[in-house]
Amino acid sequence: MRDIDGSYGEGGGQLLRTACALAAITGEAVRLHHIRARRAPPGLAPQHLTAVKAVAALCEARVEGLELRSPELSFHPGKLRGGEFHFDVGTAGSVTLVLQALLPAALHAGVPVRIQLAGGTDVRAAPPLDYLRHVLLPLLAQMGAEVRLTLRRRGYYPRGGGLVEIVVQPRVLNGLRLETAGPVKQIRGIAHVSNLPMHIATRMQQTAARLLADIAPVEIEQQILGRDQAIGQGGAIVLWARTDHALIGSSEVAQRGVPAEFIAGTAAQALREDIVSGATLDLHASDQVLIYCALSQGPSCFRARTLSSHAHTTLWLLQKLLPLRVVTTPADAATHVDIVPG
């Protein structure tokens, strides 16, 4: 059994999700202690319970310490299996964070996996659903992954109630090689609101388009959703820029009392900074693809504007649990990352 200090680095839930996913894939048990020690309150929150239960279901694991606010957990995996599964976070906990644990395991299940997942689709401190659909999944497709995601209903804080369906075909992944970005050809995006006035989405769209128009042609779709398409009130803006060799995204979730212009401006500025730095992956994708690169059959490389604390923590964990060589070097205004499995 591998022993993992859950307070290492940024000390958040990603360390827990990644550790359980790797345990399911490698078949080696892990014990985590001081889980989310740097968060308030510490320990397991509802979405973390769902993530661990979901991965455990895929590999018929025995789990000890799986209870709300538990600071310690032991995960004893069985054999990964496919089939149909349904999981409900039970709150507005993020479905995209649960998928961070589920997707790597599902890709290694050997047979197709179909998952219905209920919870929050667009919540703070988590990737919005459209970022997953239009940035992360296309990047994984470049590595050979085949994941089909269908949005049935959006859900927001505090009620949740969103619903997505995911079908994953098991695949051996290739390395992700993104040496240089090249000039931006087009910037696209989605600005959506649910059960809120249309002008909020319009203001997000217009602000982002104005701030990015000097880089490349901008096309941002507005989506105005009603009660049949979403539970509760909420919204988000997701932007992505395509070059000859790269896909770079950014996002921001709407917040009560925060102007639409500020929300859109924050997302647009993050995208601009990644583009100007010469990055081939944005700040968040460079964190989220690491586990897939580590599990691929070939080397990967990319440039990031900077490596987040999440990324440094994930790299520490990956090298602790897998045979892996990682080299980071300065590259003008960015950081070049080489990942060599095995």
Side-chain angles (χ1 to χ4, degrees):
M1 178 184 291
R2 298 294 188 97
D3 192 75
I4 307 296
D5 180 1
S7 69
Y8 182 88
E10 56 90 24
Q14 187 173 23
L15 197 153
L16 168 72
R17 292 187 293 270
T18 304
C20 290
L22 289 174
I25 293 165
T26 63
E28 186 170 7
V30 295
R31 171 183 170 269
L32 292 103
H33 54 91
H34 300 133
I35 294 172
R36 298 182 69 246
R38 300 182 186 276
R39 298 294 188 263
L44 295 172
Q47 69 187 28
H48 306 110
L49 294 177
T50 303
V52 176
K53 288 177 181 177
V55 177
L58 258 64
C59 66
E60 300 182 312
R62 176 172 57 88
V63 186
E64 301 163 359
L66 191 58
E67 57 189 47
L68 192 63
R69 301 304 166 202
S70 172
E72 186 172 309
L73 178 147
S74 295
F75 189 96
H76 304 264
K79 184 178 180 180
L80 275 169
R81 62 193 179 99
E84 296 193 9
F85 302 87
H86 174 82
F87 307 108
D88 190 341
V89 182
T91 68
S94 170
V95 299
T96 60
L97 291 183
V98 174
L99 286 172
Q100 283 186 358
L102 272 175
L103 282 180
L107 284 166
H108 288 78
V111 294
V113 178
R114 182 184 298 271
I115 301 163
Q116 190 175 74
L117 187 57
T121 57
D122 301 89
V123 298
R124 293 184 63 188
L129 189 76
D130 290 326
Y131 180 89
L132 177 68
R133 288 201 292 184
H134 295 287
V135 181
L136 184 62
L137 291 185
L139 287 170
L140 297 185
Q142 288 184 231
M143 302 179 72
E146 186 177 337
V147 181
R148 187 172 73 250
L149 186 151
T150 304
L151 171 62
R152 298 299 182 190
R153 185 174 61 240
R154 292 190 189 266
Y156 309 93
Y157 179 86
R159 294 175 60 188
L163 186 64
V164 298
E165 294 178 0
I166 305 97
V167 179
V168 182
Q169 303 291 337
R171 290 288 185 270
V172 175
L173 299 181
N174 302 311
L176 182 66
R177 301 196 63 81
L178 301 171
E179 295 277 4
T180 58
V184 176
K185 301 296 186 181
Q186 184 184 43
I187 297 173
R188 298 191 61 190
I190 295 174
H192 89 268
V193 294
S194 301
N195 303 305
L196 288 169
M198 179 186 300
H199 69 79
I200 298 174
T202 300
R203 288 157 53 203
M204 287 196 292
Q205 176 200 46
Q206 292 177 346
T207 299
R210 175 175 54 82
L211 293 174
L212 297 169
D214 63 315
I215 296 177
V218 181
E219 180 182 335
I220 302 174
E221 176 187 355
Q222 285 189 63
Q223 294 181 355
I224 315 300
L225 310 177
R227 296 181 184 278
D228 58 333
Q229 299 165 300
I231 301 294
Q233 296 179 330
I237 183 168
V238 175
L239 306 167
W240 60 93
R242 287 192 175 275
T243 76
D244 286 336
H245 310 294
L247 174 62
I248 303 167
S250 68
S251 62
E252 196 72 21
V253 174
Q255 303 172 43
R256 187 180 299 274
V258 179
E261 292 80 5
F262 182 86
I263 297 295
T266 301
Q269 181 61 26
L271 185 63
R272 175 181 287 277
E273 290 178 3
D274 281 325
I275 292 170
V276 169
S277 74
T280 58
L281 287 180
D282 63 74
L283 185 66
H284 299 292
S286 60
D287 157 16
Q288 295 174 44
V289 303
L290 292 174
I291 185 172
Y292 302 98
C293 294
L295 292 166
S296 71
Q297 64 177 359
S300 297
C301 64
F302 59 84
R303 289 188 178 199
R305 169 165 48 100
T306 186
L307 287 180
S308 67
S309 60
H310 280 88
H312 284 292
T313 302
T314 300
L315 286 172
W316 169 81
L317 179 65
L318 291 171
Q319 291 176 94
K320 191 176 180 67
L321 298 181
L322 296 172
L324 188 69
R325 183 169 64 88
V326 179
V327 178
T328 62
T329 54
D332 298 323
T335 297
H336 187 91
V337 181
D338 285 288
I339 300 173
V340 182

